[in-house]
Amino acid sequence: MSYRNRELASLVVVGLMTGFGFASVYIARQDVVSASSLSYGIFFLCLYLAAHAVTRLTVPNADPYILPLGGLLTAIGVTEIYRINPQDALHQTIWIVIGVVAFALTLFLFRRDYRKLESYKYLCGLGAVGLLMLPALPVIGERINGARLWIHFGGFQIQPGEFAKILLIVFLAGYLREKREVLAQGRLKDLGPLLLIWGAAMLVLLETSDLGSALLYFGIFLAMTYVATGSKKYPIGGGVLFLLGSFAAYHLVGRVRERVTIWLHPWTNHFVYCSQTGKVNHLRQDCDSYQLVKSLYSIGNGHFGGTGFGKGTFTDTAGNPLIPYLKTDFIFSALAQELGLIGVAAFLLVYMVFALRGFRIGMIAEDGFSKLLAVGLTFGFVLQTFIIVGGVLRIIPLTGITLPFVSYGGSSIVANFVVLAGLLLVSDRAQARNA
Amino acid sequence: MTVGSIAVEEVLLLLKVGFLVLLYLFIWRVVRTASRDLRGVSQESMILAPQRVQEQKKRRRSGKAGPKPSGKLVVVTSPALRSGEEHAIATGPLLLGRDSENDVPLVRDEFTSGRHARIDPRGDGVWIEDAGSTNGTFVNGVRLTTPRRLSSGDVIRIGETDLRFER
């Protein structure tokens, strides 16, 4: 079967799964939701078919599974958001449509040769830094839940960091392709850029109080440097530097210390300091670690088989939501409850399989820029998934960052569709030779 | 009522099982094709030619010559390079163009683009590809539209520079 026919067949299966998901929510919650939920399944199938038509036109030799995997994650996400709040699902659907449009535009713009981006690498680098700085500006910048990550723009809330990530990867791919020979020799004076970016990551960390993004950017940088040089010095040295920096941040920044304490000791049997009241009058699970603990109970309530879509418990008997930020940072714990261990295991496998396809594109890509671009985009995608899922599962300290394709949030959806388009472009060029 | 609700439970269970079965089948299918695909590209790697760098390091230390090059480019005529000058093609790709950062810089050839062409030694021979140049890359007078494998004696024309590929 040709690549595009395989993609079409996979998309039909994904459309069917979307239909099953929405049908379950509809049947389980007939008293709350209307029959219109069934039209979501058909709507998404049409949307995927439109995206598929674009790939047929622009990237005929591209990887057949990247788009269906992205579509599947998007569909699971929007099903769960619909189950939490139908109104939010409508907004999310609008963003997904915008994401598919961005996907199509990226493919059309770069269908001839995306490698011309390499000439604009410094522009991309500057753009990334500019976008990262935006939320720090007064008036348009906004601090939500302690982290400064959002800007206001004509009634929309935009998270520029999501787009900065892509520009940064393009910059690094171009820069490392050019400098890799020098970096690979590993003389001390050539370590300047490494230290510079380490410093920048630490600054981002301190300025935005956002551990997750700092870890994400620095991790992408180290992975791409390793791919560019084949030298293990960089990931090991960089890891040590990051640990040292985090250790310093732990002692200097109260918020970081708070996060680590929540991570290590979410439950207490005596009253501790509560940052909301400012007094020592709560158990920690009733105050600072309330969110994390409730999310862990939610995951536990899913057991092996899950409650099924639409039958999880996300509100108390009075109808108040149990977990704050359920549809964004904690969507994983909602899914874990409704799909159960067997379901979320498959869900995480989808991310792994996505990584498998992405790294394969990196393997078959012929030139350095394409290899670095594919590996960078894929690694950024999976590291982000690890940071948020690891945080929710208490493997690492929790930091608010979106779960790619699944969390509620427009910037994240649109940016991830652009990542999909990028991977398709690289794989199309790599496979055109064999076709 | 009881009959109705039992039916609802059963339909929900069916949907749940159907969803999970489809999900695992889909993953299985992708993994299966992935393992099949990877067999074909087993000699390739995500890491950019680390061997080449290691070899360079060794060569610098021991002063010995590197591995046998997979071919060389001999300058026939050029406004930028001396005629007869040779450029060895090692194990990594070679970039040709007007910018000085290219592996074979053609700084004074005004008809070349900044990054003009790429020569890529692979398992199955040495390939040449146009890197998006304005005036095109020609092999034996034919303009390249797709990558092409070079044979010994082929003449590559880039701008006003003629290079002969030799094994």
Side-chain angles (χ1 to χ4, degrees):
Chain A
M1 220 179 351
S2 81
Y3 285 137
R4 294 279 72 77
N5 288 343
R6 267 197 254 170
E7 181 177 271
L8 182 61
S10 309
L11 283 173
V12 170
V13 174
V14 169
L16 201 60
M17 277 189 263
T18 319
F20 280 22
F22 275 105
S24 310
V25 176
Y26 167 63
I27 295 168
R29 293 170 59 79
Q30 267 168 332
D31 49 335
V32 196
V33 302
S34 64
S36 68
S37 63
L38 297 174
S39 58
Y40 269 95
I42 295 161
F43 176 78
F44 276 101
L45 186 61
C46 294
L47 194 63
Y48 297 152
L49 292 181
H52 171 69
V54 175
T55 60
R56 257 185 205 271
L57 271 175
T58 52
V59 284
N61 299 307
D63 190 284
Y65 294 117
I66 290 287
L67 179 63
L69 288 169
L72 175 60
L73 291 172
T74 317
I76 293 177
V78 85
T79 311
E80 194 57 40
I81 291 167
Y82 183 78
R83 181 258 170 275
I84 297 167
N85 182 347
Q87 191 59 35
D88 287 338
L90 192 65
H91 290 150
Q92 181 81 339
T93 306
I94 293 169
W95 279 112
I96 293 168
V97 173
I98 295 172
V100 170
V101 171
F103 171 82
L105 278 178
T106 314
L107 288 180
F108 267 113
L109 272 176
F110 296 107
R111 68 186 185 284
R112 285 192 211 291
D113 198 352
Y114 58 88
R115 289 179 307 183
K116 64 188 168 205
L117 272 173
E118 194 175 351
S119 320
Y120 302 109
K121 54 181 178 287
Y122 290 108
L123 205 63
C124 290
L126 279 177
V129 173
L131 282 175
L132 281 175
M133 294 294 167
L134 275 181
L137 292 178
V139 186
I140 56 167
E142 193 190 3
R143 189 179 280 270
I144 297 178
N145 201 22
R148 229 188 152 110
L149 291 177
W150 285 266
I151 56 164
H152 271 298
F153 186 76
F156 286 113
Q157 238 179 32
I158 297 175
Q159 217 175 333
E162 296 277 352
F163 300 100
K165 186 181 77 180
I166 299 174
L167 287 179
L168 190 78
I169 291 168
V170 174
F171 161 72
L172 282 174
Y175 176 81
L176 290 170
R177 212 277 310 154
E178 191 183 313
K179 300 279 189 252
R180 69 188 180 84
E181 301 284 341
V182 188
L183 286 172
Q185 290 164 8
R187 287 190 299 260
L188 202 61
K189 65 167 185 173
D190 300 319
L191 295 177
L194 175 73
L195 292 171
L196 199 73
I197 296 194
W198 173 72
M202 288 300 137
L203 265 184
V204 170
L205 173 77
L206 292 177
E207 171 54 35
T208 61
S209 314
D210 183 40
L211 280 167
S213 301
L215 181 58
L216 180 62
Y217 297 131
F218 199 59
I220 291 173
F221 170 73
L222 290 182
M224 290 178 75
T225 315
Y226 175 62
V227 170
T229 60
S231 155
K232 291 190 182 65
K233 280 187 297 233
Y234 288 99
I236 293 172
V240 169
L241 278 180
F242 190 84
L243 282 180
L244 286 177
S246 312
F247 190 71
Y250 176 80
H251 286 282
L252 294 173
V253 186
R255 201 179 124 80
V256 173
R257 196 158 47 234
E258 194 184 300
R259 285 292 168 99
V260 173
T261 313
I262 291 171
W263 169 51
L264 292 175
H265 312 286
W267 284 278
T268 56
N269 56 10
H270 55 88
F271 286 168
V272 291
Y273 174 81
C274 171
S275 63
Q276 280 150 35
T277 60
K279 287 181 204 133
V280 181
N281 59 354
H282 281 91
L283 299 173
R284 189 167 293 129
Q285 58 265 41
D286 292 331
C287 182
D288 286 342
S289 62
Y290 174 82
Q291 199 181 12
L292 180 64
V293 165
K294 282 286 182 285
S295 148
L296 290 172
Y297 289 147
S298 164
I299 295 167
N301 197 34
H303 297 289
F304 182 74
T307 58
F309 271 128
K311 298 186 77 185
T313 311
F314 300 133
T315 52
D316 59 18
T317 42
N320 300 313
L322 280 172
I323 309 172
Y325 299 99
L326 183 63
K327 65 185 185 226
T328 53
D329 296 352
F330 284 90
I331 189 112
F332 181 80
S333 64
L335 280 167
Q337 183 176 165
E338 299 209 323
L339 296 176
L341 176 64
I342 188 170
V344 280
F347 177 71
L348 290 180
L349 272 175
V350 172
Y351 281 99
M352 279 189 223
V353 168
F354 188 95
L356 192 69
R357 299 310 292 184
F359 288 139
R360 178 179 169 273
I361 294 171
M363 286 171 81
I364 61 169
E366 287 163 22
D367 59 297
F369 180 69
S370 305
K371 269 186 197 296
L372 285 164
L373 192 63
V375 173
L377 290 174
T378 311
F379 188 78
F381 185 87
V382 287
L383 182 60
Q384 184 165 351
T385 308
F386 172 75
I387 291 171
I388 182 61
V389 174
V392 170
L393 292 176
R394 219 159 73 79
I395 294 167
I396 54 170
L398 176 71
T399 55
I401 195 168
T402 55
L403 184 56
F405 284 121
V406 176
S407 286
Y408 178 76
S411 314
S412 167
I413 287 282
V414 176
N416 281 311
F417 269 105
V418 174
V419 169
L420 277 195
L423 286 172
L424 287 179
L425 284 166
V426 177
S427 73
D428 181 54
R429 170 163 282 269
Q431 285 173 338
R433 183 164 59 105
N434 305 329
Chain B
M1 182 57 206
T2 12
V3 177
S5 66
I6 286 169
V8 164
E9 288 305 313
E10 277 166 352
V11 170
L12 279 176
L13 186 66
L14 269 179
L15 283 173
K16 192 164 107 178
V17 171
F19 182 86
L20 284 174
V21 167
L22 280 178
L23 190 54
Y24 274 98
L25 279 178
F26 178 59
I27 293 167
W28 165 243
R29 186 168 162 68
V30 182
V31 170
R32 211 189 45 175
T33 32
S35 59
R36 204 168 47 207
D37 290 348
L38 281 178
R39 242 170 270 153
V41 292
S42 55
Q43 78 282 16
E44 312 246 1
S45 163
M46 289 190 318
I47 314 294
L48 287 169
Q51 302 90 339
R52 186 182 170 199
V53 173
Q54 296 297 331
E55 280 155 11
Q56 275 179 352
K57 264 189 179 168
K58 258 186 222 147
R59 214 181 312 157
R60 252 207 330 274
R61 269 187 219 131
S62 62
K64 273 187 221 149
K68 194 171 165 279
S70 44
K72 60 185 175 183
L73 294 172
V74 183
V75 179
V76 183
T77 53
S78 170
L81 305 167
R82 273 185 301 110
S83 298
E85 195 176 308
E86 292 183 1
H87 289 269
I89 302 167
T91 44
L94 213 58
L95 281 172
L96 296 91
R98 207 178 56 231
D99 292 346
S100 53
E101 67 194 46
N102 285 293
D103 303 299
V104 181
L106 301 160
V107 180
R108 293 216 314 276
D109 188 336
E110 314 227 316
F111 290 90
T112 54
S113 299
R115 295 180 53 213
H116 198 111
R118 182 195 320 267
I119 292 192
D120 210 358
R122 296 186 193 134
D124 56 348
V126 178
W127 291 69
I128 183 163
E129 184 185 4
D130 190 79
S133 69
T134 319
N135 294 326
T137 302
F138 297 82
V139 174
N140 301 333
V142 184
R143 185 167 182 161
L144 289 179
T145 48
T146 52
R148 155 174 183 163
R149 186 160 44 193
L150 290 169
S151 349
S152 193
D154 280 351
V155 175
I156 303 157
R157 188 170 180 84
I158 288 168
E160 292 194 310
T161 296
D162 279 337
L163 302 157
R164 192 172 57 245
F165 172 73
E166 285 175 9
R167 278 260 163 229

